[in-house]
């Protein structure tokens, strides 16, 4: 493996490009390490307490009125960020699936597509489900294929 760093004073944001013959276990570990190094912490609230929850345990974020909630398998926490702010902070394995929902693609167990065009995501070890809008369905499918 070669590592090369190029400096460009005109760049506003740092960009990391990984060139490889194929996506494999080593590339996945490098990607995960970079994502963890770049992830900003997110505070989760429930009642009067602040929680420190590992993002891998979050199934999805969704709006409920003016509030944003993060859903884990057994709990839901309030988050004091907007969905677009979460998109900027979350690792790449999170994906927008509707105007009101961002999901953890690594937690998806099944993606059920109906004839009406609506799709439903099922998660491992929970009854919770979310719907994927037609607009975001293909984006989600591509994300899931990348992660295989």
């Amino acid at each position: 493996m070669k590592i090369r760093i190029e400096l460009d004073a005109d760049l506003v944001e740092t960009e990391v490009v990984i060139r490889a013959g194929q996506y494999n276990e080593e590339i996945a570990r490098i990607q995960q390490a970079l994502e963890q190094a770049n992830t900003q912490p997110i505070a989760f609230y429930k009642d009067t307490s602040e929680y420190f929850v590992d993002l891998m345990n979050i199934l999805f974020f969704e709006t409920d009125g003016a509030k944003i909630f993060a859903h884990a398998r057994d709990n839901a926490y309030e988050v004091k960020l907007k969905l677009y702010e979460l998109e900027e902070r979350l690792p790449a394995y999170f994906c927008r699936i509707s105007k009101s929902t961002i999901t953890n693609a690594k937690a998806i167990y099944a993606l059920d597509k109906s004839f009406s065009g609506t799709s439903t995501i099922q998660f491992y070890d929970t009854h919770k489900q979310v719907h994927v809008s037609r607009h975001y369905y293909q984006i989600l499918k591509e994300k899931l294929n990348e992660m295989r």
Side-chain angles (χ1 to χ4, degrees), residues 46-66:
K46 190 171 187 179
D47 299 322
T48 58
S49 300
E50 182 175 351
Y51 292 87
F52 304 92
V53 180
D54 184 352
L55 287 174
M56 284 300 294
N57 294 327
I58 300 299
L59 302 174
F60 59 94
F61 294 87
E62 73 174 348
T63 58
D64 185 7

Side-chain angles (χ1 to χ4, degrees), residues 98-127:
S98 70
K99 287 183 180 180
S100 61
T101 310
I102 299 172
T103 193
N104 178 348
K106 288 186 176 182
I108 294 174
Y109 174 67
L111 179 60
D112 300 322
K113 186 168 181 155
S114 71
F115 291 112
S116 65
T118 61
S119 301
T120 304
I121 292 175
Q122 296 178 29
F123 299 99
Y124 291 102
D125 302 325
T126 185
H127 67 282

Side-chain angles (χ1 to χ4, degrees), residues 50-101:
E50 182 175 351
Y51 292 87
F52 304 92
V53 180
D54 184 352
L55 287 174
M56 284 300 294
N57 294 327
I58 300 299
L59 302 174
F60 59 94
F61 294 87
E62 73 174 348
T63 58
D64 185 7
K67 295 183 177 185
I68 308 290
F69 288 95
H71 290 264
R73 281 174 180 69
D74 298 322
N75 287 307
Y77 306 93
E78 186 176 350
V79 177
K80 306 217 183 220
L81 296 167
K82 304 288 185 208
L83 283 180
Y84 72 88
E85 293 171 325
L86 283 168
E87 278 185 302
E88 293 171 1
R89 289 184 174 205
L90 291 169
Y93 55 86
F94 280 87
C95 181
R96 178 75 78 125
I97 58 168
S98 70
K99 287 183 180 180
S100 61
T101 310

